[in-house]
Amino acid sequence: MHIKIALLAGDGIGPEVIAQAVKVCDAIAVKFKHTIEWKSALIGAVAIDETGEPYPDETHQICLNTDAILFGAIGHPKYDNNPNATIRPEQGLLKMRKKLGLFANVRPTFTFPSLIDKSPLKRERIEGTDLVFLRELTGGIYFGKKGRTDEGETAYDHCVYSREEVKRLAKKGFELAMTRSKKLCCVDKANVLETSRLWRETVQNMEKDYPEVQVSYEFVDAVAMRLVQWPSSYDVLITENLFGDILTDEASVISGSMGLMPSASVGTHTSLYEPIHGSYPQATGKNIANPLATVLSAAMLFEDALGLTEEATAIRTVVNKSLAAGIVTEDLAENTKAYGTNEVGDWLAKNV
Ligand code: IPM
Ligand code: MN
């Protein structure tokens, strides 16, 4: 198969982790007789530096004309520490999500048997954890009207959802639940927020179309607590944009390192695959970032965007082997040698 992948390395450690995923994908292509055409494009702070735009139109065109997008990370401290910056790297990500219609963000959390004691949570709490968040990604408070009144002394961000937006996300949730243990949890704050009441009402109305799925409704604050107490009690969780942003970071540490969890964003146009971690500016250029979340995102890309399950399995298998063999970056090395980002990538590619 001839595969076209847009490569958006972005900022910080993005280029370093992306380079390892490319090595692994190229090795997979040789093994399974595919050809991969990589199309690099700018996004984030690097794109602002070069073009003045965090998501240039040229990048958008490349994204529209490929089979899938592999994305690194976005963000730079020079913008974080400047509240007056009007152009920010993160706007590139939000613009891309909106323009590509990527309304569903799929963020799994699972444990690796060889890493179970690396988790900050006790073994008996997390064993067997295998859950997936479906975070709504193009609506809510992220995209509502925002501004200042009262001569800048008061600020607001509107949280807005339409029934259709909730429905299309929830539909994916029900469908995913049907392929798993048929358990769906709708996370909201319906005791306080009107948007949450619309979410709950919409999901309740859809229950009859999926009679086999057992649906629960839980408040976001309670989920935040139960997620670290009994993560294995959850399977598929659906939620709005901001709640999903927060809860998926929380969930990502269950596995032992934020450097492990992959994600996919899917919707109307080309799907996007990215590690859940950010640009980690302090580690940039040090060859210490964990590339596994990006490599595992590439596995999701093969499976979901290309329908190549064997290739995805081959990637996951080699990742498990590297963990078992202790070929890991410093976030996972404890009393053992820490390998560089590059070395981990080389080892993976060689062992594919
Ligand atoms: C994420 C990130 C982004 C978000 C930022 C960088 C805008 O935290 O993908 O979770 O908040 O959605
Ligand atoms: Mn986030």
Side-chain angles (χ1 to χ4, degrees), residues 74 90 93-94 97 107 135 137 142 241 245 248-249 274 276:
I74 215 166
E90 288 78 5
L93 186 58
L94 301 182
R97 287 173 180 169
R107 294 190 167 181
R135 165 189 173 194
L137 206 55
Y142 273 62
N241 205 343
D245 179 48
T248 55
D249 265 26
E274 63 172 312
I276 148 153

XYZ file of all heavy atoms in Angstrom, residues 74 90 93-94 97 107 135 137 142 241 245 248-249 274 276, ligand 1:
146
model
N 2.945 20.996 20.721
C 2.844 22.411 20.436
C 3.018 23.207 21.721
O 2.638 22.740 22.785
C 1.467 22.682 19.784
C 1.555 23.775 18.753
C 0.428 22.995 20.803
C 0.339 23.825 17.869
N -0.706 27.545 20.556
C -1.884 26.705 20.815
C -3.037 27.018 19.875
O -3.862 26.154 19.574
C -2.355 26.883 22.265
C -1.441 26.258 23.308
C -0.194 27.084 23.611
O -0.068 28.216 23.084
O 0.662 26.586 24.367
N -3.190 24.661 17.037
C -3.809 23.360 17.302
C -5.331 23.465 17.283
O -6.034 22.636 16.693
C -3.320 22.876 18.675
C -3.707 21.487 19.134
C -3.226 20.448 18.135
C -3.100 21.197 20.509
N -5.849 24.517 17.910
C -7.294 24.696 17.971
C -7.868 24.947 16.578
O -8.914 24.414 16.204
C -7.658 25.849 18.921
C -7.182 25.683 20.370
C -7.639 26.857 21.236
C -7.680 24.380 20.984
N -7.861 21.654 14.671
C -8.966 20.795 15.105
C -10.272 21.247 14.469
O -11.062 20.446 13.979
C -9.090 20.840 16.638
C -7.985 20.096 17.349
C -8.049 20.319 18.858
N -6.975 19.595 19.528
C -6.635 19.765 20.811
N -7.276 20.645 21.556
N -5.661 19.059 21.337
N -8.700 9.049 23.786
C -7.518 8.940 24.657
C -7.619 7.704 25.551
O -8.301 7.716 26.572
C -7.375 10.203 25.508
C -7.066 11.420 24.671
C -6.676 12.621 25.513
N -6.111 13.659 24.663
C -5.662 14.823 25.101
N -5.696 15.104 26.381
N -5.154 15.707 24.268
N -13.160 12.548 24.281
C -13.283 13.957 24.659
C -13.798 14.744 23.462
O -13.220 14.660 22.375
C -11.908 14.458 25.100
C -11.782 15.957 25.174
C -10.336 16.389 25.405
N -10.201 17.828 25.305
C -9.035 18.471 25.201
N -7.898 17.787 25.195
N -8.997 19.777 25.086
N -13.955 17.785 21.106
C -12.740 18.565 20.859
C -12.938 19.877 20.099
O -12.000 20.644 19.951
C -11.750 17.669 20.093
C -10.263 17.964 20.211
C -9.792 17.981 21.655
C -9.440 16.967 19.411
N -13.753 26.100 25.038
C -12.585 26.384 24.208
C -12.935 27.291 23.031
O -12.099 28.038 22.552
C -11.993 25.082 23.650
C -10.988 24.395 24.533
C -11.353 23.936 25.790
C -9.686 24.188 24.103
C -10.443 23.289 26.597
C -8.763 23.535 24.895
C -9.149 23.089 26.147
O -8.233 22.455 26.934
N -15.274 19.171 26.234
C -13.894 19.540 25.933
C -13.009 19.798 27.165
O -11.975 19.135 27.354
C -13.935 20.778 25.012
C -12.696 20.914 24.159
O -11.674 20.312 24.423
N -12.784 21.723 23.109
N -10.086 17.502 28.826
C -8.692 17.952 28.864
C -8.080 17.612 30.220
O -6.987 17.041 30.316
C -8.633 19.465 28.613
C -7.211 19.995 28.661
O -6.343 19.382 28.014
O -6.966 20.998 29.352
N -8.124 13.604 31.184
C -7.213 12.726 30.445
C -5.764 12.927 30.876
O -4.968 11.994 30.822
C -7.354 12.888 28.915
O -7.179 14.260 28.565
C -8.695 12.395 28.429
N -5.413 14.130 31.329
C -4.075 14.294 31.915
C -3.991 13.493 33.215
O -2.995 12.825 33.484
C -3.779 15.776 32.232
C -3.003 16.465 31.108
O -3.123 16.018 29.948
O -2.283 17.437 31.396
N -1.475 11.675 17.881
C -0.472 12.447 18.639
C -0.304 11.886 20.048
O -1.231 11.308 20.617
C -0.890 13.924 18.731
C -2.180 14.144 19.486
C -2.502 15.610 19.763
O -1.621 16.342 20.225
O -3.656 15.999 19.538
N -0.147 12.182 24.059
C -0.969 13.062 24.896
C -0.119 14.096 25.642
O -0.599 15.150 26.005
C -1.948 12.261 25.797
C -2.243 12.927 27.136
C -1.541 10.870 26.064
C -3.589 12.512 27.647
C -4.259 18.931 24.799
C -3.566 20.223 25.104
C -4.274 21.350 24.354
C -5.698 21.404 24.857
C -3.599 22.722 24.459
C -2.151 22.667 24.034
C -4.354 23.766 23.694
O -3.512 20.458 26.463
O -4.234 18.501 23.634
O -4.845 18.340 25.701
O -5.970 22.025 25.893
O -6.567 20.823 24.217
